[in-house]
Amino acid sequence: AMDWPPAFKCCYHCGSRKIQRIRPSAFICTACRKHLFINPVSAVAAILLDPQNRVLLIKRAHDPGKGKLSLPGGFLDPGEIAEEGLRCEVREETGIEVGDLEYHCSRPNRYLFEETEYLVLDLFFVARMTSFAGAAALDEVDAVLEIPVSEIDLETIAFPSVKEALRIFRER
């Protein structure tokens, strides 16, 4: 379980600062009696695997995790289906088209962006590729690397959730 950050400085209904936590993810404004909630945002990432058991990793071009490695992926838009959002993110970041996706696991994550910490639920999928031909460092990516799954140094990975997903994948 994650520690919950202090969430609301003021009520988004009435503007009052009289906020009281009633559960880890639920609050109440004691001024207007409206409930406020913190729910994780959804993100997706792909373990793209070629026939030689290599994984396509990206080198992040921006913080958080600038210069570290991660899996291609990103945040889902409202109303977007996880698999379609993931295909779009992989295309935008690497130029690769992904077909079938197999659900792998989910892990909580924290994403600190412009001094705001977002609580995230990362959904991981596996796609078996015939090759990584045409893979390129595109949107928000400094480089793409093909690394055998057994040789990935988890200390070079940007986020704890991604490290954990890769560790679980290796164990299976």
Side-chain angles (χ1 to χ4, degrees), residues 34-105:
K34 295 247 197 280
H35 286 81
L36 310 169
F37 297 93
I38 301 180
N39 300 101
V41 295
S42 301
V44 287
I47 297 173
L48 304 175
L49 198 66
D50 76 359
Q52 290 76 43
N53 263 349
R54 293 179 301 189
V55 173
L56 189 74
L57 295 173
I58 61 163
K59 185 175 179 185
R60 293 181 55 83
H62 303 291
D63 278 327
K66 180 179 179 176
K68 290 201 140 202
L69 302 181
S70 193
L71 296 168
F75 290 102
L76 292 175
D77 290 329
E80 194 170 39
I81 294 166
E83 293 85 347
E84 285 308 310
L86 182 52
R87 286 186 185 99
C88 187
E89 290 289 341
V90 170
R91 187 180 315 113
E92 288 172 4
E93 291 182 350
T94 70
I96 287 189
E97 293 295 330
V98 175
D100 291 339
L101 290 164
E102 177 185 318
Y103 177 75
H104 173 54
C105 69

Side-chain angles (χ1 to χ4, degrees), residues 134-145:
L138 302 176
D139 189 36
E140 300 183 356
V141 174
D142 269 346
V144 291
L145 298 89

